[in-house]
Amino acid sequence: MMPVQIKDYVDSYNLDENPQYWRKQLTIKGTLTDYFTLPGIKNLTDWIAPGENVTDETKYWNFYETFETKKAYTPNNSLMYGGGIYASAETCRWKFVGATYGDSSNDMKWDNAAAHLHLTESTSGEPGYIYMLEDKSNGIGYIRLWAARYKDDKGSGSFGVYISDDKGKTWEPIQTGIPIKKELTEYQFKVMRPGDLRIKIGKTESSTTGIDIDNIHISDYYTESSVENILSPTNIRIWSSKDHLCFDTKTPEQIDIYQINGTLVKTEHIIGSGNIALPAGFYIVSIKNTPTKIIVQ
């Protein structure tokens, strides 16, 4: 692994904001030097995007909220945790309750700011939360977000994620009591629900530990992946079904299955038609050094 300083290319190629480049091959040119105490590349002179179609990752992941625009937040009153409305053109309006716009040096965030959850009366009251004020159409597949404990707070804290299919009148828990960590950590939640939905994220305990929430990504609900021919013109096909990776090949092949972070999950030798049991998630599958992305439900 080699770290690369993207700097001037942040807006166009920052991987967190441009998921269409996840796991794609890009050609970069720059200076080979020490970076983060490792051999790395800095002072980029060229960055060549792949010639392949790069829209596949954004087919489902098209809802992003980064809480970057301070002027989009309108507090209810002068009380720090009095709540308010965050009206971003990026996605939708968000209601803040027992929460505030977190752009201090102690807020744990990507870039400029995060949603900072606390208590409704600062040191007492109900746990803070944020929720969408408009529905997301096309359902919800997965929810990803980053969270961390407010830098100065030493205690433990936890949060939960909820969805609503009745415009916020009632909320169904997806997962609650999730322990919060000191460092910014990415969390992913499987929903797989069609329809017009909203999400809510809130503290699940009454401690004075602040929680920062940032970079909320929501994918659309989708049905079973269609068969994908990955080695045309040879007749090898792979696709996903519930908790399985399916294959169909007329010749013996070795299949290598990786997690998205590059960790090898398993290697199998296959021929004919069959399936391989896998937990739900995102995988990179490689046959004859040709990789493809597969989502197992």
Side-chain angles (χ1 to χ4, degrees), residues 229 231-236:
N229 188 340
L231 288 175
S232 179
T234 59
N235 194 22
I236 302 172

Side-chain angles (χ1 to χ4, degrees), residues 111-181:
D111 299 324
N112 298 319
H116 179 78
L117 314 183
H118 207 70
L119 299 174
T120 54
E121 303 297 330
S122 184
T123 57
S124 62
E126 299 299 316
Y129 55 89
I130 59 173
Y131 63 89
M132 294 164 55
L133 284 172
E134 284 87 36
D135 291 338
K136 178 192 175 298
S137 58
N138 301 320
I140 294 177
Y142 287 83
I143 300 170
R144 289 177 181 165
L145 59 86
W146 290 79
R149 190 174 72 223
Y150 184 73
K151 190 174 181 179
D152 275 355
D153 292 345
K154 307 300 181 183
S156 59
S158 64
F159 71 100
V161 177
Y162 311 79
I163 64 169
S164 173
D165 60 3
D166 57 6
K167 302 187 180 304
K169 295 178 182 177
T170 60
W171 295 95
E172 173 188 343
I174 297 301
Q175 190 172 341
T176 62
I178 305 162
I180 198 70
K181 298 181 180 180

Side-chain angles (χ1 to χ4, degrees), residues 113-294:
H116 179 78
L117 314 183
H118 207 70
L119 299 174
T120 54
E121 303 297 330
S122 184
T123 57
S124 62
E126 299 299 316
Y129 55 89
I130 59 173
Y131 63 89
M132 294 164 55
L133 284 172
E134 284 87 36
D135 291 338
K136 178 192 175 298
S137 58
N138 301 320
I140 294 177
Y142 287 83
I143 300 170
R144 289 177 181 165
L145 59 86
W146 290 79
R149 190 174 72 223
Y150 184 73
K151 190 174 181 179
D152 275 355
D153 292 345
K154 307 300 181 183
S156 59
S158 64
F159 71 100
V161 177
Y162 311 79
I163 64 169
S164 173
D165 60 3
D166 57 6
K167 302 187 180 304
K169 295 178 182 177
T170 60
W171 295 95
E172 173 188 343
I174 297 301
Q175 190 172 341
T176 62
I178 305 162
I180 198 70
K181 298 181 180 180
K182 179 179 179 181
E183 303 82 10
L184 269 173
T185 303
E186 187 176 28
Y187 298 84
Q188 177 169 287
F189 308 92
K190 182 179 179 181
V191 179
M192 285 302 163
R193 188 80 61 85
D196 295 331
L197 302 172
R198 305 181 185 189
I199 72 167
K200 171 184 171 182
I201 303 164
K203 277 171 60 71
T204 52
E205 36 70 39
S206 297
S207 75
T208 56
T209 299
I211 293 176
D212 287 314
I213 302 293
D214 202 6
N215 281 20
I216 301 170
H217 296 179
I218 307 176
S219 72
D220 293 343
Y221 168 78
Y222 53 86
T223 56
E224 181 177 313
S225 301
S226 59
V227 174
E228 186 173 354
N229 188 340
I230 64 168
L231 288 175
S232 179
T234 59
N235 194 22
I236 302 172
R237 297 182 300 159
I238 59 172
W239 67 97
S240 67
S241 64
K242 182 174 177 56
D243 299 325
H244 287 84
L245 176 71
C246 303
F247 59 83
D248 181 25
T249 174
K250 296 185 181 301
T251 58
E253 301 293 347
Q254 176 176 307
I255 181 171
D256 299 306
I257 305 170
Y258 300 88
Q259 295 178 349
I260 59 173
N261 63 6
T263 301
L264 180 65
V265 176
K266 61 174 63 178
T267 295
E268 299 278 353
H269 295 275
I270 61 174
I271 187 171
S273 298
N275 59 71
I276 301 168
L278 285 174
F282 294 80
Y283 297 91
I284 300 298
V285 177
S286 178
I287 301 176
K288 293 182 177 178
N289 295 319
T290 300
T292 191
K293 174 185 88 281
I294 287 291

Side-chain angles (χ1 to χ4, degrees), residues 26-50:
L26 298 95
T27 301
I28 58 174
K29 296 179 182 179
T31 303
L32 182 64
T33 184
D34 287 343
Y35 187 39
F36 290 114
T37 71
L38 298 169
I41 298 178
K42 300 177 68 173
N43 305 317
L44 296 187
T45 59
D46 200 4
W47 183 301
I48 303 172

